[in-house]
């Protein structure tokens, strides 16, 4: 006997008012459906089936790395009909776990308990109590507390609407029973849908006992139907994640103002100020401080690095002891060696900068290489693009580039060279040479400025 997992993801998600299928909307940077898939993958299982429909091939197309069987539900005729589509290939002896593509916070722990609970009777159901059960299916129990039915909100009587125990939708059912019951479902209800929940009454008439499992928290079984619920789930997820990080030693100034949309690998003594966003895969060494309002994506940062406020770093490697920002923009394929200083309003792209070099103010360097212990003055610009092609600027070790210099690439400035302020460098500069290109200054004595009449 094995476990097969069916994830329902064919619903339309009308209330998102979006052209994108609901399950592709992201929570912490990851599609809702990927959260559910990752949790499913963590369980010991035989196969995973995802029932998709609305949004057509967009869903399987954008999640091609999933190791699942995609099952198309041509028309959304209800949850029972959706499950039916996935069953034909599932062995009768297996248990089937039903998951929902738009309920992303369900935990592996709850699902394990649910799976274990089905081992006896072949049917377990996850329920929970909520204060405002509106919209959910209500759990109907008999005098001995046995579950005997689930009634959908739209079909419920006023008395039934007062029941606060709700169907989370998560269940485990033995495949042969599920096939038999699902194939016998009707759609004689207010929504004319084939309700999966109607299998409860079929189980009761077949004398199969339903083992109830109570969900630990209401939040993990909450579905996402609109953008407000998505934002609420996001805040919850981020807060839980922030607390995990703090318990592993990260200093967060305010856990409610920290967002990680990916994976953050940490060292010791990392201090992160407010409104920092981490995306993709980011690795921090020891003793890294990140100032307020920084955005850091797919980057490796070594030890003793200080990132000052309002800095953006995307796809870069930052060496030991670097100082970056405030207001710096480090673009993809940039590598900073040890003790590099990057100051305010500096943009770097596809550039590597050697040990101890400084680019402190108002500079653009693209497709460049800078050696060690060089200083790039304020307002320096590499003119790397001729309108058709990108060209390289190579700057050696111990070079001094004065302020307001344009380097017209391709160009090579050798070790020890000095570039005077205001120079437009159009030719290579040799070792220890001075390059200067300025028009001679004129001074006119007794100059009368124009005056307004
Ligand atoms: C369903 C349950 C309800 C439960 C609630 C929990 C039924 C009849 N009702 O109601 O008891 O309290 O979930 O959130 O099962 N889907 C398909 N194909 C379809 C219809 C739905 O794949 O034809 C998918 C949806 O994408 C969604 C899930 O099934 O992921 C649930 O469908 P939805 O219409 O949201 O069910 P509810 O009315 O919320
Ligand atoms: Ca519905």
């Amino acid at each position: 006997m094995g476990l097969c997992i069916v994830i329902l993801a064919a619903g339309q998600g009308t209330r998102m008012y979006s052209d994108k299928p609901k399950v592709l909307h992201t929570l912490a940077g990851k599609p809702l459906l990927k959260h559910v898939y990752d949790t499913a993958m963590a369980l010991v299982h035989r196969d995973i089936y995802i029932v998709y429909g609305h949004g057509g091939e967009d869903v399987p197309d954008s999640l091609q790395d999933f190791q699942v069987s995609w099952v198309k539900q041509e028309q959304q005729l209800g949850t029972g009909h959706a499950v039916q589509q996935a069953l034909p290939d599932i062995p009768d002896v297996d248990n089937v776990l039903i998951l929902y593509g738009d309920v992303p916070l369900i935990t592996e722990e709850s699902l394990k308990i649910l799976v274990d609970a089905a081992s006896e009777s072949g049917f377990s159901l996850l329920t929970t109590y909520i204060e405002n059960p509106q919209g959910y299916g209500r759990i109907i129990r008999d005098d001995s507390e046995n579950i005997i039915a689930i009634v959908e909100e739209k079909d419920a009587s006023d008395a039934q609407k007062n029941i606060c125990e709700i169907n989370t939708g998560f269940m485990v059912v033995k495949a042969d029973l599920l096939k038999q019951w699902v194939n016998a479902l009707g759609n004689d209800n207010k929504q004319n849908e084939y309700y999966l929940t109607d299998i409860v009454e079929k189980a009761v008439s077949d004398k199969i006992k339903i083992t109830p499992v109570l969900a630990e928290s209401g939040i993990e079984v909450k579905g996402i139907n609109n953008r407000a619920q998505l934002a609420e789930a996001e805040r919850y997820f981020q807060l839980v994640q922030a607390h995990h990080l703090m318990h592993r030693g990260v200093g967060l100034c305010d856990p409610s103002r920290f967002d990680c949309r990916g994976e953050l690998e940490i060292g010791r003594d990392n201090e992160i100020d407010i409104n920092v966003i981490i995306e993709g895969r980011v690795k921090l060494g020891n003793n890294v401080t990140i100032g307020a309002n920084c955005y850091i994506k797919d980057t490796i940062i070594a030890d003793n690095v200080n990132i000052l406020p309002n800095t953006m770093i995307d796809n870069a490697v930052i060496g030991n002891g670097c100082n970056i920002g405030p207001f710096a923009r480090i673009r993809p394929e940039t590598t900073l060696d040890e003790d590099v200083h990057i100051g305010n309003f500096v943009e770097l792209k596809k550039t590597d900068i050697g040990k101890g070099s400084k680019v402190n103010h108002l500079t653009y360097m693209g497709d460049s290489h800078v050696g060690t212990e060089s200083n790039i003055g304020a307002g320096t610009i590499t003119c790397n693009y001729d309108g058709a092609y990108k060209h390289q600027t190579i700057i050696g070790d111990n070079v001094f580039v004065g302020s307001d210099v344009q380097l017209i690439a391709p160009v090579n400035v050798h070790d020890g060279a000095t570039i005077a302020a205001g120079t437009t460098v159009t030719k290579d500069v040799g070792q220890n040479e001075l390059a200067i290109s300025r028009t001679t200054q004129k001074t006119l004595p007794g100059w009368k400025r124009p005056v307004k009449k």
Side-chain angles (χ1 to χ4, degrees), residues 12 29 81 94 141 163 193 196 236 252 326 340 346 361-362:
Q12 193 171 355
H81 179 259
D94 277 7
R141 293 185 184 243
I163 297 171
E193 282 181 10
L196 178 62
Y236 174 81
L252 292 179
V340 167
V346 171
H361 328 268
L362 300 151

Side-chain angles (χ1 to χ4, degrees), residues 16 26 35 136 146 182 197 234 282 287 298 325 407 414 444:
M16 297 296 281
T26 57
H35 284 268
Y136 289 96
N146 295 312
V182 156
T197 45
E234 177 82 28
V282 172
N287 202 21
D298 296 321
L407 296 139
H414 290 272
L444 307 180

Side-chain angles (χ1 to χ4, degrees), residues 115-126:
V115 170
D116 288 346
S119 60
E120 258 179 50
S121 70
F123 194 165
S124 62
L125 181 72
L126 191 69

Side-chain angles (χ1 to χ4, degrees), residues 273-306:
D273 208 334
I274 59 165
N275 297 335
V276 167
I277 299 174
I278 301 289
E279 245 180 58
R281 279 167 181 260
V282 172
K283 184 177 174 183
L284 304 181
N286 299 320
N287 202 21
V288 173
T289 59
I290 303 176
N293 310 320
C294 287
Y295 170 87
I296 302 174
K297 182 181 174 195
D298 296 321
T299 287
I300 298 172
I301 297 174
D303 299 343
N304 306 312
V305 170
N306 195 10

Side-chain angles (χ1 to χ4, degrees), residues 132-147:
N132 176 11
Q134 206 195 343
Y136 289 96
R138 309 298 205 283
I139 302 291
I140 314 294
R141 293 185 184 243
D142 67 11
D143 296 339
S144 325
E145 292 292 300
N146 295 312
I147 297 176

Side-chain angles (χ1 to χ4, degrees), residues 147-412:
I147 297 176
I148 51 165
I150 298 172
V151 180
E152 291 306 298
E153 168 94 20
K154 289 192 174 122
D155 304 291
S157 67
D158 286 346
Q160 287 169 332
K161 280 183 185 156
N162 287 328
I163 297 171
C164 286
E165 187 184 8
I166 60 116
N167 171 33
T168 66
F170 293 91
M171 58 180 81
V172 177
V173 188
K174 199 148 165 287
D176 56 348
L177 297 172
L178 186 60
K179 287 179 189 179
Q180 200 179 306
W181 295 334
V182 156
N183 291 337
L185 288 174
N187 65 350
D188 183 17
N189 51 52
K190 285 271 164 60
Q191 304 187 80
N192 292 325
E193 282 181 10
Y194 296 90
Y195 291 166
L196 178 62
T197 45
D198 284 349
I199 67 169
V200 168
E201 283 171 74
K202 299 197 185 294
V204 171
S205 59
D206 285 351
K207 308 239 167 353
I208 302 288
K209 191 176 150 42
I210 299 163
T211 311
V213 174
L214 201 63
E216 247 183 57
S217 81
I219 192 111
E220 66 171 300
V221 296
K222 265 199 179 164
I224 309 287
N225 295 309
N226 56 42
R227 291 176 194 260
Q229 288 168 337
L230 181 59
E232 192 190 343
E234 177 82 28
R235 288 337 305 157
Y236 174 81
F237 184 96
Q238 291 297 347
L239 204 56
V240 169
Q241 188 171 243
H243 278 85
H244 279 308
L245 286 168
M246 291 189 294
H247 283 293
R248 288 167 53 213
V250 177
L252 292 179
C253 273
D254 181 354
S256 65
R257 282 182 290 173
F258 170 76
D259 288 72
C260 175
R261 303 169 188 157
E263 280 163 51
L264 177 63
E265 209 179 304
I266 55 165
R268 291 175 77 81
D269 295 300
N270 299 146
E271 301 280 349
I272 300 178
D273 208 334
I274 59 165
N275 297 335
V276 167
I277 299 174
I278 301 289
E279 245 180 58
R281 279 167 181 260
V282 172
K283 184 177 174 183
L284 304 181
N286 299 320
N287 202 21
V288 173
T289 59
I290 303 176
N293 310 320
C294 287
Y295 170 87
I296 302 174
K297 182 181 174 195
D298 296 321
T299 287
I300 298 172
I301 297 174
D303 299 343
N304 306 312
V305 170
N306 195 10
I307 298 167
L308 295 160
N310 302 299
T311 291
M312 284 182 76
I313 305 178
D314 180 1
N315 196 357
V317 178
I318 311 294
N320 277 347
C322 285
N323 230 58
I324 304 174
F327 296 99
R329 181 173 180 209
I330 314 291
R331 292 172 52 199
E333 295 180 57
T334 292
T335 301
L336 308 184
D337 204 336
E338 289 176 28
D339 301 318
V340 167
H341 286 205
I342 303 298
N344 45 214
F345 308 108
V346 171
E347 175 179 347
L348 304 178
K349 187 218 78 173
K350 259 194 190 175
T351 287
D352 47 277
I353 298 191
K355 189 172 178 201
S357 288
K358 297 185 172 72
V359 189
N360 270 332
H361 328 268
L362 300 151
T363 288
Y364 171 62
M365 306 203 74
D367 308 291
S368 316
H369 168 89
V370 178
T372 61
E373 304 294 338
S374 287
N375 188 83
I376 310 296
T380 296
I381 289 173
T382 56
C383 309
N384 59 327
Y385 185 49
D386 61 13
Y389 299 100
K390 302 276 168 70
H391 302 281
Q392 287 265 317
T393 301
I394 314 280
I395 294 172
D397 298 342
N398 197 24
V399 167
F400 182 92
V401 177
S403 297
D404 190 27
V405 164
Q406 301 88 49
L407 296 139
I408 315 289
V411 73
N412 203 331

